[in-house]
């Protein structure tokens, strides 16, 4: 997944992401990280690791570098960054923002490796 030509270079933002080796790459398991953005929006990152896991401590500085944009654009940036740098088997990014007049704006984006499938694990997730 690549950034549009008009988007800023993602390399400085992606350089803030830190990883550790997956302690058991043979096992499919779900990792969920949640955080708040400076504008009160919330982000949830769920992934099934492949060879590495995301260091949760790097998430706040990384999220602070997201440009001001609409929820869809920000969710797409996070999805692209995580898909390109973390290389998980499966990835879901949910961004939730307050809209006008109390409307809650929720964006969910997903990606997975082409031949990965674990229906039993994904079936445990709450329906959207």
């Amino acid at each position: 997944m690549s950034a549009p030509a008009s988007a800023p270079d993602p390399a400085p933002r992606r350089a803030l992401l830190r990883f550790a080796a997956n302690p058991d790459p043979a096992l499919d398991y779900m990792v969920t990280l949640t955080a708040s953005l400076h504008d009160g929006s919330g982000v949830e990152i769920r992934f099934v690791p492949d060879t590495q896991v995301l260091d949760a401590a790097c998430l706040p500085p990384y999220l602070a570098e997201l440009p001001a944009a609409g929820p869809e654009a920000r969710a797409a940036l996070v999805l692209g960054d995580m898909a390109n740098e973390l290389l998980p088997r499966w990835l879901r990014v949910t961004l939730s923002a307050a809209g006008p007049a109390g409307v809650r704006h929720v964006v969910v984006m997903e990606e997975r490796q082409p031949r990965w499938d674990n229906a039993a694990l994904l079936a445990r997730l709450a329906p959207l």
Side-chain angles (χ1 to χ4, degrees):
M1 186 175 242
S2 62
S6 62
D9 181 8
R13 183 181 65 246
R14 290 177 178 180
L16 296 170
L17 297 172
R18 300 280 180 251
F19 309 99
N22 182 348
D24 192 350
L27 181 66
D28 278 345
Y29 61 93
M30 183 83 55
V31 175
T32 302
L33 300 170
T34 59
S36 295
L37 301 173
H38 60 76
D39 66 356
S41 299
V43 65
E44 178 182 83
I45 301 168
R46 286 188 164 188
F47 64 96
V48 175
D50 194 358
T51 60
Q52 53 190 8
V53 294
L54 183 66
D55 176 356
C58 77
L59 200 53
Y62 162 78
L63 293 172
E65 292 302 314
L66 288 177
E72 292 84 0
R74 285 212 222 139
L77 285 174
V78 174
L79 184 81
D81 290 348
M82 296 296 163
N84 282 299
E85 303 299 317
L86 179 61
L87 302 171
R89 294 175 186 163
W90 174 86
L91 170 66
R92 176 185 288 170
V93 173
T94 304
L95 198 132
S96 176
V103 173
R104 199 77 187 145
H105 189 147
V106 178
V107 177
V108 179
M109 294 185 178
E110 229 176 76
E111 189 167 298
R112 72 178 70 206
Q113 290 181 4
R115 287 179 284 286
W116 181 83
D117 187 32
N118 186 330
L121 180 62
L122 296 180
R124 294 174 179 251
L125 296 172
L128 297 176

